[in-house]
Amino acid sequence: MASKVVQNSARDGNATTILEKNWEGLTVLELIEAYRLMLLSRRIDDREIMLKRQQKIFFQISGAGHEALLIAAAMNLRPAYDWFYPYYRDRALCLTLGVTPLEMLLQAVGAAADPASGGRQMPSHWGSQRLNIVTGSSPTGTQFLQAVGCAEAGRYFNHHPDASRKADGDYREFKEVRHQADEVVYVSTGDGTTSQGEFWESLNAASNLKLPVLYMVEDNEYAISVPVEVNTAGGNISRLVAGFPNFHFEEVDGCDLPTSYAAVKRAVQHIREGKGPALVHGHVIRPYSHSLSDDEKLYRPESERKKDAERDPITRLRALLLQEGILDESGLEEIADKVNDEVQDAAEKALEAAFPAKSSYANFVYSPNMDPTLPKFTTQPEAKGADRTMADLINRCLSDEMKRDPRIVIFGEDVADCSREQYLQNSKKVKGKGGVFKLTSGLQCEYGSDRVYNSQLAEATIVGRAVGMATRGMKPVVEIQFFDYIWPAMHQLRNEMPLIRWRSNNAFSCPAVVRVAIGGYLTGGAIYHSQSGESIFAHTPGMRVIFPSNALDAAGLLRTAIRCDDPVMFLEHKRLYRETFGRAPYPGPDYMIPFGKAKTVRPGKDMTVITYGATVPRALQAAQRLEREQGGNAEIIDLRSLSPYDWEAIAESVSRTNRALVLHEDMLSWGYGAEIAARIADELFDQLDAPVRRLAAKDTFVAYQPELEDVILPQADDIFVAMKKLSEY
Ligand SMILES: Cc1ncc(C[n+]2csc(CCOP(=O)(O)OP(=O)(O)O)c2C)c(N)n1
Ligand SMILES: [Mg+2]
């Protein structure tokens, strides 16, 4: 086509002039290709809209009006080299990077062959392992901190090339690592989504760490029906972000291809030169309502919509091509015909594609490669030295694993010995902190400040960055200082970390470890330093939840957690960190305990007490008293692993004792024990001589006054009474 026009132009004698000209650095051929991609993107949207109306697909959200800015971005970036966290309007970016129209439409119909999700996610939820487009989700704003973590991972592997090597025997067998010295991590957003706290947290981190992140703000002035001046103070995000150091900023008419291209080019140059992140704020339009479920006529007058239409990027580029004599009407038509044929062909193929097998829903909730419940995770302790506390053995385990695996980094609030490392090094002025409970003490000194460091005081930042790193193949072992403060990270913990594998149909995974100090019985811990809540995470598919009650189990299970190919929430009871109960010598650098295997901590024949965490030692006390005073003999099972849990051990024991008490520290109602009790009642009904009983905290929070705390949390005396009643039933 170009040659046809150029031939025509040659007759007029100006072919050379056109070929030599450039538009903000774009050549004739690039402009023509950009026009083709814009049209292709719009036509796929149009086709999806038609298919939705015919009920052949089930959702549609378009990229219409954003095409110029996104093609400009993609033309400055490199697929399978840079990394991409695009949001749902980024169809044009993905097409330019190399996602095919067929791949897009396979997702729209929910086909098994949809490479982004295998029919699991809505259309426009991009993901391509081949192109480094990381699986995206629907919550607005979770992408930013992951992009920051992704950029940190690239930098880490560049500084630690050995860490990218494959290794047998743990998650590294299944994690290919790729990194480039001057890579860029692209992350995009709408104007409305910049209101999310995670956006600001991520700017803070990217700026502070001078990370190679390219933010693309696609400002179409609406978040569904909410206009930009409601979401953004003063109505302009560029004004608000301008103070972040190390950033390069661009504000541009995102409907104009050449100026957008030039703006992104400057931004990318800043990043590739290692100067820090950049943010491009593009003003775009949204001609097709928010989605097919929205009718913008309800909140936008015709006059406003008309004004937008005049800025349409396709009309604009078309006019440029004509005006500059690059293409004539027939050349433009030829492109449109080819695009229409391509979309038609892709739609026909997608409509014929097979759906996922119904049984496939269960695939990839967890790693298909590495099952942490298998016996290969059973190793014998090589105990040496004196008995140590749970805190000591966790610290030793972390240290030995860091020695073994250079991909491990540890971060969180106060986990470093000292962020101002000059105080540690030259003058030895300070000893170092290493965690508010000292669990990470000495690790920064031992392994360096780029492997053990303090994060910002922001839980979403800790977990979101860990998600980005683990997706790239690192093993972040992060700490949440108190379970009570885990909630800002909830999006990342519920909608991201455990879902990445399932929603991408195993194209991506996120095997990070989140260590959390949990629980009460502290005498004065009060409401905000005593919370439990493990059932919330046990109720989250994809997440392994571990809760040890003693030093040896903590060391063995933490090692399995670190080597595992799934995300793990590792709950450490604060009261047990330094208890006399459950101390043990360090079991050596390879001691592991498989997940989902309970431990009988006291054999008995009269009833089974199923418990975990800090109620284990309390149940033991109660059982001793029961034996002393009543002659009763209670068997106590410490679950240790809450998801997966050891049903076989429960069933075997209850079938022998015929009585069951489920005991935990967290509140009774909708607590972890409800599921266990229900299952016993369901599957072991014939074996029971008494109703299944539960004992747990009162349905309230934990109060500060010790007498109140005592009455709220289950004490050894309460457990004794519950056991006695159960044995007398
Ligand atoms: C956390 C969260 N809250 C609400 C929604 C519902 N929702 C989806 S898109 C959207 C508006 C996003 O607006 P903007 O960021 O401006 O992007 P645009 O759609 O305009 O491109 C909302 C509220 C969501 N997906 N996630
Ligand atoms: Mg918007």
Side-chain angles (χ1 to χ4, degrees):
M1 255 162 303
S3 62
K4 182 168 139 195
V5 177
V6 173
Q7 273 166 24
N8 290 344
S9 308
R11 260 175 261 136
D12 311 337
N14 64 357
T16 331
T17 341
I18 292 179
L19 281 173
E20 277 175 3
K21 228 174 134 179
N22 79 65
W23 292 262
E24 300 278 5
L26 287 167
T27 64
V28 166
L29 291 180
E30 283 168 336
L31 283 179
I32 293 172
E33 175 60 2
Y35 180 73
R36 186 189 73 80
L37 286 162
M38 271 193 206
L39 215 53
L40 183 61
S41 182
R42 192 72 64 91
R43 292 290 163 267
I44 298 172
D45 278 326
D46 292 339
R47 175 55 63 120
E48 280 191 357
I49 289 166
M50 200 165 100
L51 291 170
K52 169 75 171 75
R53 296 209 162 111
Q54 295 168 344
Q55 298 184 359
K56 289 182 174 154
I57 70 168
F58 321 99
F59 180 76
Q60 208 282 330
I61 192 154
S62 89
H66 293 222
E67 296 97 339
L69 182 68
L70 295 174
I71 291 168
M75 288 173 103
N76 279 292
L77 296 166
R78 303 179 205 163
Y81 182 103
D82 296 320
W83 288 79
F84 301 88
Y85 286 81
Y87 92 121
Y88 49 81
R89 300 250 185 247
D90 285 20
R91 187 188 300 289
L93 173 110
C94 291
L95 283 170
T96 312
L97 293 177
V99 180
T100 67
L102 176 60
E103 287 174 327
M104 292 187 176
L105 290 164
L106 284 171
Q107 188 171 41
V109 299
D114 152 32
S117 77
R120 290 171 172 193
Q121 291 223 75
M122 290 171 150
S124 299
H125 285 55
W126 318 112
S128 168
Q129 203 183 39
R130 161 181 113 246
L131 301 168
N132 288 357
I133 302 175
V134 179
T135 171
S137 60
S138 301
T140 57
T142 47
Q143 67 271 40
F144 303 116
L145 289 161
Q146 295 178 22
V148 165
C150 176
E152 286 180 277
R155 176 178 291 175
Y156 185 85
F157 284 122
N158 282 317
H159 291 175
H160 298 261
D162 284 358
S164 58
R165 253 194 247 132
K166 278 206 161 189
D168 286 344
D170 61 46
Y171 72 96
R172 286 175 290 177
E173 260 182 69
F174 316 106
K175 270 288 195 192
E176 195 80 52
V177 169
R178 286 175 287 134
H179 58 98
Q180 305 291 341
D182 64 345
E183 65 182 44
V184 173
V185 179
Y186 166 96
V187 62
S188 62
T189 175
D191 47 291
T193 299
T194 63
S195 295
Q196 292 284 0
E198 290 194 16
F199 172 70
W200 297 96
E201 287 187 30
S202 79
L203 292 179
N204 192 28
S207 163
N208 218 6
L209 300 170
K210 275 178 99 172
L211 290 168
V213 182
L214 172 62
Y215 288 81
M216 179 62 67
V217 181
E218 301 167 34
D219 185 352
N220 57 23
E221 296 193 8
Y222 277 94
I224 308 187
S225 69
V226 183
V228 64
E229 68 274 17
V230 174
N231 262 303
T232 306
N236 185 313
I237 193 69
S238 283
R239 285 232 310 268
L240 302 189
V241 297
F244 280 101
N246 303 321
F247 260 91
H248 176 91
F249 295 106
E250 294 280 346
E251 184 175 2
V252 69
D253 177 357
C255 292
D256 185 75
L257 182 83
T259 47
S260 296
Y261 177 82
V264 179
K265 191 171 187 164
R266 289 188 292 269
V268 168
Q269 188 179 349
H270 171 86
I271 297 171
R272 292 213 201 276
E273 284 172 0
K275 293 178 178 161
L279 184 145
V280 177
H281 174 196
H283 293 279
V284 296
I285 57 163
R286 194 194 70 181
Y288 284 5
S289 290
H290 172 72
S291 71
L292 264 201
S293 320
D294 172 48
D295 177 6
E296 67 176 359
K297 290 187 188 128
L298 295 173
Y299 52 87
R300 294 183 84 184
E302 191 54 32
S303 54
E304 190 180 294
R305 298 173 58 231
K306 226 177 122 217
K307 246 174 85 191
D308 257 19
E310 285 160 12
R311 294 179 55 220
D312 193 301
I314 297 187
T315 322
R316 292 266 289 276
L317 187 55
R318 186 188 156 88
L320 178 85
L321 293 173
L322 287 170
Q323 183 195 313
E324 297 286 308
I326 296 169
L327 284 179
D328 56 16
E329 289 287 353
S330 75
L332 289 167
E333 221 168 276
E334 212 175 299
I335 292 181
D337 288 347
K338 278 203 177 145
V339 162
N340 288 343
D341 288 350
E342 190 179 354
V343 175
Q344 175 67 23
D345 184 51
E348 280 168 15
K349 287 200 176 102
L351 288 169
E352 284 164 10
F355 297 152
K358 286 186 181 161
S359 60
S360 70
Y361 73 89
N363 295 346
F364 313 130
V365 177
Y366 300 103
S367 170
N369 300 317
M370 200 168 194
D371 179 351
T373 67
L374 292 180
K376 73 172 180 187
F377 286 95
T378 307
T379 58
Q380 292 312 309
E382 290 167 14
K384 268 199 207 110
D387 280 355
R388 313 306 288 253
T389 63
M390 183 193 277
D392 290 336
L393 293 206
I394 289 174
N395 180 270
R396 279 292 300 278
C397 175
L398 289 170
S399 174
D400 278 350
E401 286 305 295
M402 288 193 83
K403 194 175 299 163
R404 177 180 175 275
D405 177 0
R407 295 194 195 175
I408 297 175
V409 291
I410 289 181
F411 59 98
E413 294 154 15
D414 299 287
V415 302
D417 290 318
C418 184
S419 284
R420 293 180 174 169
E421 56 182 14
Q422 69 272 24
Y423 296 154
L424 289 169
Q425 283 168 355
N426 306 332
S427 44
K428 293 225 165 39
K429 277 186 185 147
V430 298
K431 238 175 99 186
K433 185 155 179 81
V436 293
F437 298 103
K438 298 222 157 296
L439 274 277
T440 50
S441 173
L443 297 178
Q444 180 197 356
C445 291
E446 199 173 350
Y447 294 102
S449 303
D450 66 342
R451 295 192 65 196
V452 182
Y453 47 92
N454 289 324
S455 70
Q456 288 92 343
L457 203 174
E459 285 73 13
T461 292
I462 296 169
V463 182
R465 282 164 66 183
V467 170
M469 289 179 178
T471 308
R472 289 281 302 266
M474 288 183 68
K475 178 63 79 169
V477 180
V478 298
E479 180 175 297
I480 297 289
Q481 201 166 71
F482 292 92
F483 185 90
D484 315 63
Y485 311 131
I486 202 167
W487 314 116
M490 205 55 195
H491 244 327
Q492 297 291 343
L493 286 169
R494 167 80 196 176
N495 282 331
E496 300 295 331
M497 187 179 279
L499 252 166
I500 279 182
R501 190 189 291 278
W502 192 84
R503 78 175 184 224
S504 69
N505 207 25
N506 203 35
F508 294 92
S509 64
C510 186
V513 179
V514 184
R515 295 180 38 247
V516 193
I518 193 169
Y521 295 110
L522 302 178
T523 313
I527 309 164
Y528 299 107
H529 298 84
S530 304
Q531 287 176 29
S532 302
E534 57 277 9
S535 61
I536 293 167
F537 296 100
H539 192 63
T540 300
M543 185 71 98
R544 308 284 192 185
V545 183
I546 306 301
F547 201 153
S549 74
N550 60 77
L552 192 64
D553 286 353
L557 288 163
L558 181 58
R559 184 162 285 109
T560 304
I562 290 172
R563 297 187 188 182
C564 171
D565 198 29
D566 293 315
V568 181
M569 174 156 293
F570 196 82
L571 301 170
E572 301 170 3
H573 202 288
K574 304 189 282 284
R575 180 63 203 262
L576 297 177
Y577 272 150
R578 293 188 166 75
E579 286 272 88
T580 323
F581 167 81
R583 292 188 183 189
Y586 184 61
D590 280 310
Y591 180 57
M592 283 187 287
I593 299 172
F595 290 170
K597 298 284 174 270
K599 182 154 94 182
T600 304
V601 291
R602 186 185 201 275
K605 58 178 179 33
D606 297 333
M607 73 181 66
T608 304
V609 180
I610 299 130
T611 191
Y612 53 89
T615 42
V616 171
R618 285 159 184 78
L620 281 166
Q621 270 180 35
Q624 281 159 12
R625 184 171 160 203
L626 187 78
E627 184 154 22
R628 220 168 39 238
E629 294 181 14
Q630 311 284 321
N633 197 351
E635 176 147 307
I636 298 174
I637 292 183
D638 177 358
L639 286 177
R640 314 194 282 190
S641 171
L642 305 187
S643 179
Y645 68 96
D646 193 344
W647 173 247
E648 284 69 34
I650 297 170
E652 188 281 322
S653 176
V654 174
S655 303
R656 262 189 297 108
T657 65
N658 314 111
R659 283 177 161 78
L661 171 67
V662 188
L663 164 69
H664 53 69
E665 174 184 339
D666 195 12
M667 295 183 302
L668 182 75
S669 300
W670 298 282
Y672 184 81
E675 175 65 25
I676 305 290
R679 193 162 172 198
I680 295 172
D682 181 351
E683 295 186 32
L684 305 174
F685 182 74
D686 296 341
Q687 316 278 344
L688 292 173
D689 290 341
V692 186
R693 294 293 193 211
R694 284 181 295 154
L695 180 65
K698 305 282 187 295
D699 287 336
T700 181
F701 294 91
V702 179
Y704 170 69
Q705 208 333 294
E707 284 191 14
L708 280 179
E709 185 193 87
D710 280 359
V711 80
I712 290 164
L713 295 178
Q715 308 297 330
D717 287 350
D718 305 318
I719 303 169
F720 167 75
V721 172
M723 285 175 169
K724 183 166 170 286
K725 278 192 186 157
L726 183 59
S727 62
E728 288 165 358
Y729 183 92

